[in-house]
């Protein structure tokens, strides 16, 4: 399964008041996703990026039945749980912990925070949705307490259907997230400047 391999940047978690957990996509790396911080209002944050073993968090599409992505999916969720616990142990409260992911990392990010909903600093999902062949409301518990969440995605996207983004939006909203979803026509599987601007305006404010 995944070994806990963490790359950090920015301030140390023991010195910062806020932390951002950055989750890379399939085939990506912790170093790659950390470069996104250059475009975000996070200069005073501790930046924490876990590295997936084999550069992928789970083997198949996020739209497969969850059991088919096990045991890798549970292992990936455990890594995020450990990372979050470590940040809290270093003195940063959950309401000052932020999450960001792209593609497979965005799906994992949304799945993790929704399974463990509480008041976080906020979350950004660049092209992602909740994981499974369908949405499983029974997997999710807690309340976001108004935490800002931004999801940006393309219509169409080769990996993430818009209907799953909207279904995810509904769940998070019901669980108390202050959620904003922006759907971009034919943007492609990438991160746009408009998404960066909205992430800064809505979450890293």
């Amino acid at each position: 399964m995944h070994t806990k391999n963490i790359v950090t940047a920015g301030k140390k978690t023991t010195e910062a008041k806020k932390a951002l957990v950055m989750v890379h996509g399939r085939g990506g790396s912790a170093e790659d996703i950390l470069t996104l911080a250059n475009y975000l209002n996070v200069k005073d944050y501790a930046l924490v990026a876990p590295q997936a073993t084999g550069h992928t968090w789970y083997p198949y599409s996020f739209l497969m039945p969850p059991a088919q992505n096990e045991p890798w999916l549970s292992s990936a969720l455990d890594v995020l749980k450990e990372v979050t616990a470590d940040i809290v142990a270093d003195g940063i409260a959950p309401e000052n912990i932020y999450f960001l992911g792209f593609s497979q990392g965005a799906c994992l990010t949304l799945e993790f925070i929704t399974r463990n909903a509480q008041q976080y600093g906020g979350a950004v999902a660049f092209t992602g949705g909740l994981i499974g062949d369908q949405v499983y409301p029974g997997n999710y518990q807690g309340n976001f307490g108004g935490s800002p969440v931004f999801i940006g995605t393309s219509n169409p996207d080769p990996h993430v259907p818009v209907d799953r983004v909207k279904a995810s939006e509904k769940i998070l909203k019901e669980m108390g997230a202050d959620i904003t979803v922006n759907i971009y026509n034919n943007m492609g599987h990438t991160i746009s400047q408009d998404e960066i601007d909205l992430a800064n305006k809505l979450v890293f404010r």
Side-chain angles (χ1 to χ4, degrees), residues 18-33:
K18 295 180 177 182
L20 172 59
V21 179
M22 306 183 77
V23 189
H24 69 78
R26 188 188 298 272
S29 71
E31 288 85 0
D32 289 344
I33 197 79

Side-chain angles (χ1 to χ4, degrees), residues 102-138:
F102 170 65
S103 189
Q104 189 187 54
C107 297
L108 186 63
T109 294
L110 289 171
E111 188 70 15
F112 173 74
I113 64 169
T114 311
R115 287 187 182 214
N116 302 277
Q118 57 183 305
Q119 188 178 359
Y120 296 114
V124 175
F126 293 125
T127 312
L130 293 172
I131 293 173
D133 51 320
Q134 60 187 33
V135 172
Y136 292 92

Side-chain angles (χ1 to χ4, degrees), residues 93-200:
E95 57 264 30
N96 288 318
I97 301 176
Y98 296 73
F99 297 86
L100 177 149
F102 170 65
S103 189
Q104 189 187 54
C107 297
L108 186 63
T109 294
L110 289 171
E111 188 70 15
F112 173 74
I113 64 169
T114 311
R115 287 187 182 214
N116 302 277
Q118 57 183 305
Q119 188 178 359
Y120 296 114
V124 175
F126 293 125
T127 312
L130 293 172
I131 293 173
D133 51 320
Q134 60 187 33
V135 172
Y136 292 92
N139 286 342
Y140 309 121
Q141 57 189 356
N143 190 286
F144 285 107
S147 308
V149 178
F150 171 66
I151 306 175
T153 197
S154 176
N155 183 21
D157 180 87
H159 305 290
V160 180
V162 169
D163 63 352
R164 176 55 58 89
V165 174
K166 290 182 174 176
S168 304
E169 176 188 20
K170 182 173 183 289
I171 293 277
L172 271 78
K173 190 171 186 178
E174 288 170 353
M175 294 176 65
D178 181 8
I179 187 162
T180 303
V181 172
N182 250 37
I183 298 167
Y184 301 84
N185 286 326
N186 301 304
M187 176 176 71
H189 196 68
T190 186
I191 300 171
S192 70
Q193 184 61 50
D194 191 68
E195 288 178 291
I196 295 281
D197 292 344
L198 279 169
N200 282 325

Side-chain angles (χ1 to χ4, degrees), residues 70-81:
E70 294 293 2
W72 290 96
L73 174 58
S74 289
S75 178
L77 291 166
D78 285 345
V79 167
L80 291 189
K81 196 160 198 169

